[in-house]
Amino acid sequence: MNEFSGSTNFEISDQKVTDSCPSNIALIKYWGKYENQIPANPSISYTLNLCKTNTEMAFFAGEEFSVMTFLGGNEELKFAEKIEKYFKNIREYLPWILQGRYLITTENTFPHSSGIASSASGFGAIAKCLMQLDQTFSGSSNEEEALKKASFLARLGSGSACRSLYDGLVVWGETKEVLASSDLFAIRYPNDEIHPIFKNFNDWVLLIHEGEKSVSSTVGHGLMNTNPYAQRRFQEAHENFLTLKTILKDGDMDAFIKLVEHEALTLHAMMMMSDPAFILMKTGTLAVIDKIWDFRKETDLPLFFTLDAGANVHLLFPANKDEEQIKEFIIKELIQHTQNNGVVKDVMRF
Ligand code: DP6
């Protein structure tokens, strides 16, 4: 039993709920995990604003348990299998969950093949729908508690998804640097500890390579178990929280850029030092990084990058007076390195 164990006092009925959840991009990365989706180190991310998953969940009470899923109008058998397994896995927390049939329809506001974390927004939206059902069936109405439990449940679907439940800067994983942080769910980074310069930020995602990645995140996490550099990396993530705390408070943009880019390169360095080794960056990824570094040297403008577990480049820059010059540079110099002139423009404001 823990605080998330579900009440056995509930009454089910046919329901149709809808919800949506954005994706997120990590600044300090989660890479490596233990059993039951416990992260090997704390992470922090920006929740995106426009890149979202919208989900409709129909529940047919009392029918035999099964899940059907549709993505953008097409039936997705593999996804349905994954969700069935997930629902069975979380039954302890939602005791009614296997007592009906589900029809789940989802759509992403960003291209499916873009490599933008659809598992984060996808599981986030599903967890929110489940909590809507849970509140109806159990008669509870505490919104903060429901959000916390949604984050807890989303984590069990995909680790990084638990951070998508909150806006702004969000922390997942216990660290002594952030009060009330937990390995079990995400929390908001305290708003009054963030300099205004970090509260209005662009994230333009360059779609360098569309399509399936050669190694999934789940396999990548697993390879940290035998990576000889893993322990040092986990320790460094903790240390980076201490550094980041001061940066966020003081509004130290140069130090922010250094830390965020270091985190991205460390993530990919870990992949290269795994056994078997793998590389998810492409030629275009490296070309863009080179150009960003030259641009910064020449102009001193705050354009920088982070990377997910893929080839795409997230271009980060504050939404302020400098942004026009930066956007011009991106359009003129960087978009040419994408596969199909693909760029997804998001902006975080909180
Ligand atoms: C590189 O959350 O996709 O994006 O828990 O196995 O579903 P699972 O992995 P996932 O891993 C994300 C890794 C990352 C870094 C991050 O978002 O912190």
Side-chain angles (χ1 to χ4, degrees):
M1 284 286 274
N2 68 19
E3 67 172 300
F4 300 108
S5 299
S7 152
T8 44
N9 194 3
F10 58 82
E11 200 174 314
I12 55 170
S13 54
D14 284 359
Q15 295 292 336
K16 192 187 268 180
V17 293
T18 57
D19 224 317
S20 75
C21 186
S23 187
N24 70 75
I25 178 69
L27 302 173
I28 293 180
K29 309 286 180 181
Y30 146 59
W31 197 242
K33 61 175 164 181
Y34 307 121
E35 230 178 301
N36 296 325
Q37 298 280 93
I38 298 300
N41 64 259
S43 57
I44 182 166
S45 55
Y46 265 131
T47 293
L48 300 183
N49 194 19
L50 305 172
C51 293
K52 283 186 179 178
T53 298
N54 300 318
T55 297
E56 181 186 278
M57 186 182 282
F59 177 74
F60 303 94
E63 293 190 25
E64 191 182 344
F65 173 64
S66 70
V67 178
M68 246 180 134
T69 57
F70 289 86
L71 177 64
N74 300 317
E75 186 172 4
E76 292 276 329
L77 295 170
K78 267 216 169 117
F79 189 51
E81 247 174 62
K82 205 169 164 181
I83 299 299
E84 266 190 30
K85 221 169 122 193
Y86 169 61
F87 282 9
K88 286 180 181 161
N89 203 21
I90 58 174
R91 64 199 295 182
E92 172 189 352
Y93 309 109
L94 301 171
W96 48 265
I97 197 166
L98 304 183
Q99 299 186 12
R101 177 169 68 84
Y102 295 82
L103 189 60
I104 299 174
T105 317
T106 64
E107 53 168 40
N108 295 329
T109 61
F110 49 90
H112 180 53
S113 60
S114 65
I116 293 174
S118 61
S119 74
S121 53
F123 275 103
I126 284 179
K128 282 168 96 174
C129 286
L130 289 174
M131 283 314 295
Q132 280 197 45
L133 294 179
D134 191 56
Q135 287 190 304
T136 306
F137 299 160
S138 67
S140 95
S141 59
N142 184 325
E143 291 310 322
E144 263 311 299
E145 287 294 312
L147 205 55
K148 186 174 173 186
K149 186 159 173 176
S151 174
F152 172 85
L153 293 172
R155 181 195 106 244
L156 294 169
S158 175
S160 57
C162 73
R163 296 186 309 238
S164 276
L165 276 295
Y166 297 100
D167 279 349
L169 283 170
V170 182
V171 175
W172 168 42
E174 198 177 329
T175 160
K176 62 178 183 349
E177 306 306 334
V178 183
L179 195 70
S181 55
S182 168
D183 285 345
L184 301 182
F185 50 84
I187 60 164
R188 292 187 187 92
Y189 189 84
N191 207 33
D192 53 359
E193 297 284 312
I194 308 169
H195 189 281
I197 195 156
F198 299 122
K199 292 185 184 178
N200 203 357
F201 237 81
N202 290 295
D203 179 8
W204 282 22
V205 193
L206 292 181
L207 308 180
I208 304 287
H209 179 79
E210 302 189 36
E212 283 283 301
K213 346 183 245 206
S214 55
V215 178
S216 73
S217 285
T218 304
V219 171
H221 284 291
L223 288 171
M224 284 301 271
N225 293 334
T226 51
N227 188 320
Y229 298 91
Q231 288 311 319
R232 179 65 195 106
R233 155 64 197 154
F234 301 149
Q235 192 188 329
E236 190 192 53
H238 280 275
E239 292 160 9
N240 283 346
F241 259 91
L242 177 66
T243 316
L244 185 65
K245 236 171 109 166
T246 317
I247 291 172
L248 290 177
K249 195 157 182 85
D250 296 351
D252 186 345
M253 188 59 75
D254 288 345
F256 189 62
I257 293 174
K258 189 172 158 193
L259 187 144
V260 170
E261 290 189 345
H262 176 76
E263 274 287 326
L265 294 175
T266 303
L267 168 70
H268 285 260
M270 286 298 126
M271 298 174 191
M272 292 185 212
M273 291 188 288
S274 292
D275 182 11
F278 61 107
I279 299 179
L280 296 182
M281 291 187 289
K282 299 280 180 199
T283 316
T285 315
L286 296 174
V288 166
I289 292 175
D290 245 358
K291 283 190 174 176
I292 291 172
W293 283 348
D294 284 346
F295 176 76
R296 272 217 310 275
K297 230 182 257 162
E298 280 161 27
T299 64
D300 222 13
L301 291 176
L303 168 66
F304 58 109
F305 69 88
T306 189
L307 307 167
D308 248 340
N312 298 332
V313 184
H314 285 251
L315 301 169
L316 297 171
F317 52 105
N320 63 15
K321 59 175 179 16
D322 295 328
E323 71 179 348
E324 285 316 315
Q325 198 181 335
I326 291 176
K327 286 177 184 173
E328 246 171 62
F329 167 74
I330 295 172
I331 291 161
K332 196 158 155 258
E333 292 293 336
L334 302 186
I335 288 187
Q336 58 184 280
H337 297 287
T338 62
Q339 206 172 1
N340 298 308
N341 285 329
V343 55
V344 174
K345 301 172 184 174
D346 212 319
V347 59
M348 287 90 63
R349 285 201 182 94
F350 59 99

